[in-house]
């Protein structure tokens, strides 16, 4: 399990960060491939990880064009929509990651870990959902009210992505051998 969490960490790091030097050096398809590989390792023991495996594989395919285009500088409506789809897809993959983690962490000795994951899940999904709502209704807000709220949500969004990396890193360091985990993964 530690190897799977290591792959999740590096995969999410590649999906989250963009280092654009002509092309995206930290390419999202590589990140999705790493998440896919980690999910594949977990699928051997936990069937519930199959959802992560499938969504990460699709993410790998749909994120390929983003490697060659700097999505933060596009003004074309098509690329803007594509960037929004990538944001939503990243959120879907993380949703299934959290679902997998919640399913495999069921032992009484894992209550504190389960609570941390549930708290992170609620905050991560809430902030990402608020960003999706803001993006959808951004044309209906005035400039000043929208820009202040957008900046606050943007900082919260980045903070949640960084905190997710810290959570994955702490899950990676967990001693999974001491727990008798839920093998069925239902």
């Amino acid at each position: 399990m530690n190897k799977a969490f290591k792959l999740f960490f590096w995969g999410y790091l590649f999906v989250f960060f963009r280092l654009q030097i002509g092309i995206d050096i930290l390419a999202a398809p590589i990140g999705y491939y790493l998440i896919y590989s980690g999910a594949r390792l977990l699928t051997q023991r936990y069937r519930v990880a199959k959802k992560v495996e499938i969504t990460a594989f699709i993410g790998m395919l749909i994120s390929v064009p983003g490697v060659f285009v700097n999505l933060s500088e596009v003004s074309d409506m098509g690329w803007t929509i594509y960037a929004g789809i990538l944001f939503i897809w990243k959120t879907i993959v993380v949703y299934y990651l959290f679902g997998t983690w919640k399913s495999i962490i069921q032992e009484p000795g894992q209550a504190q870990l389960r609570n941390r994951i549930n708290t992170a899940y609620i905050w991560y999904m809430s902030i990402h959902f608020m960003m999706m709502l803001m993006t959808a209704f951004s044309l209906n807000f005035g400039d000043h009210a929208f820009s202040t709220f957008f900046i606050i949500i943007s900082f919260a969004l980045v903070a949640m992505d960084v905190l997710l990396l810290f959570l994955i890193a702490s899950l990676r360091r967990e001693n999974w051998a001491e727990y008798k985990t839920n093998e069925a993964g239902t």
Side-chain angles (χ1 to χ4, degrees):
M1 286 223 345
N2 293 27
K3 181 167 176 67
F5 282 106
K6 185 177 183 178
L7 290 168
F8 290 151
F9 177 83
W10 288 107
Y12 193 75
L13 187 73
F14 273 66
V15 170
F16 172 57
F17 285 109
R18 291 186 62 87
L19 182 59
Q20 195 80 27
I21 304 174
I23 63 169
D24 185 12
I25 303 299
L26 296 175
I30 295 170
Y32 282 119
Y33 175 75
L34 293 171
I35 293 171
Y36 166 81
S37 299
R40 197 163 173 94
L41 287 175
L42 283 183
T43 302
Q44 296 170 2
R45 283 182 65 186
Y46 308 103
R47 291 177 305 203
V48 71
K50 188 72 171 167
K51 294 175 184 174
V52 176
E53 189 179 341
I54 292 168
T55 55
F57 182 77
I58 294 169
M60 187 173 39
L61 297 177
I62 66 172
S63 63
V64 169
V67 173
F68 305 104
V69 177
N70 189 350
L71 295 174
S72 61
E73 294 180 357
V74 295
S75 58
D76 181 44
M77 184 57 108
W79 286 112
T80 303
I81 292 170
Y82 174 74
I85 290 169
L86 288 181
F87 174 76
I88 292 169
W89 199 259
K90 177 188 77 155
T91 306
I92 291 170
V93 170
V94 172
Y95 170 80
Y96 284 122
L97 274 172
F98 274 117
T100 299
W101 299 338
K102 287 183 196 181
S103 293
I104 64 177
I105 300 173
Q106 294 295 322
E107 292 300 311
Q110 296 172 317
Q112 183 180 10
L113 187 59
R114 191 171 45 251
N115 289 339
R116 279 181 51 206
I117 289 172
N118 282 331
T119 303
Y121 168 77
I122 290 168
W123 279 100
Y124 185 93
M125 289 299 156
S126 298
I127 290 172
H128 278 71
F129 186 68
M130 284 191 333
M131 180 58 93
M132 287 180 217
L133 282 176
M134 269 188 22
T135 304
F137 296 108
S138 63
L139 297 175
N140 297 330
F141 290 112
D143 288 338
H144 298 292
F146 176 72
S147 62
T148 303
F149 192 59
F150 181 78
I151 290 170
I152 291 169
I153 295 298
S154 296
F155 279 121
L157 193 74
V158 171
M160 286 312 304
D161 284 327
V162 170
L163 287 174
L164 180 64
L165 284 170
F166 282 121
L167 176 66
I168 296 170
S170 71
L171 290 173
R172 185 181 71 191
R173 289 187 300 273
E174 192 71 30
N175 183 9
W176 296 101
E178 72 182 48
Y179 302 118
K180 187 181 90 184
T181 57
N182 178 7
E183 296 289 327
T186 55

